[in-house]
Structures are given as C-alpha cells and as structure tokens.
Amino acid sequence: MLGESIRMASERRSNSRVNVKLSVNIRLSDGHSLSSNLIRNISLGGVFIEMPEPLAFGTEIYLEFKLPETPRILNCSGFVVWSSKTNPERCPGKIGIGVRLMDISINEIRLLHEFIDGQVA
C-alpha cells in the first residue's frame, strides 16, 4: 500500500525535485513578512519550505530567494497546497509547507531550470 502511494506521488510529479537549503523571505498578502525559513527542496513547479509554524492551505505568499552561485534574487508568488500539520507523511520529521509556484518570470524559470538540471546531472 505504501509503495503504491509513493509510486503514485512520483508519477504525478512531472518536474525533477532537488534537495536544497536556501534562505527564503516570505511576504503574506496582508504585507506581513516571515523570516528564518528555509526552502528544503525545489522543482520548477514548487518548493517545500521548512518553517516553525505552517501556514494554512490556500494561503497566498510571495517568495524572494537566491539560488547558489547566482547573483539574481528570484521573486515569485505561490500558494500553500499542503502542510506538515495535515500531511505529516509528506515530510517525515520536518515542519513546513508545500508551495505551488505561480507568477514567475520566464527568465527566473530558466535560472531555476538550469540550477535543477545542474543538480540532477
């Protein structure tokens, strides 16, 4: 049963995902900023952000982070698609949120794609 769940999840995922440790600044739609959070894995479609208190499903956020060896800061929006509170099996031993990336420029997508390809190769 567990093997089926893992296989189904990997079949749903169409983008390569790599483990990272990137500082990320998060701003909520009300302007409130959250700091001291880490992106722990990343793909072209989303990120897992480790944070002390997970945000609720559907929360819109704005992200600002820098990829290693890239001087440019990436900015994009996203929304919470799951959290460790409701889905602890998705991130054993970690507290945080899964975020679907939205509103990201083509240039930033290119940088992200090059970074991920470099990590996977």
Side-chain angles (χ1 to χ4, degrees):
M1 187 76 143
L2 180 59
E4 265 181 21
S5 297
I6 292 170
R7 188 176 68 246
M8 286 173 48
S10 66
E11 287 170 359
R12 280 193 315 240
R13 184 168 289 139
S14 59
N15 300 313
S16 296
R17 181 169 296 277
V18 296
N19 292 325
V20 294
K21 189 174 181 181
L22 304 173
S23 291
V24 58
N25 292 319
I26 299 172
R27 187 170 40 88
L28 303 175
S29 56
D30 66 3
H32 184 75
S33 293
L34 306 174
S35 59
S36 301
N37 302 294
L38 291 174
I39 295 175
R40 299 301 290 198
N41 67 49
I42 192 166
S43 76
L44 289 177
V47 296
F48 172 71
I49 300 173
E50 193 171 18
M51 59 189 343
E53 184 61 35
L55 299 169
F57 174 82
T59 302
E60 290 184 45
I61 59 176
Y62 302 90
L63 306 174
E64 185 177 272
F65 61 95
K66 188 173 127 2
L67 296 171
E69 301 175 22
T70 305
R72 184 172 174 182
I73 294 175
L74 280 68
N75 292 284
C76 62
S77 64
F79 62 95
V80 177
V81 292
W82 63 271
S83 85
S84 60
K85 272 188 176 178
T86 55
N87 298 96
E89 72 282 354
R90 296 194 69 175
C91 56
K94 292 192 173 35
I95 298 172
I97 55 175
V99 176
R100 169 85 34 100
L101 297 180
M102 307 292 289
D103 194 22
I104 184 168
S105 77
I106 191 68
N107 289 332
E108 290 171 332
I109 288 282
R110 282 188 189 117
L111 286 173
L112 192 51
H113 185 286
E114 289 171 8
F115 170 75
I116 292 169
D117 274 359
Q119 299 298 305
V120 173

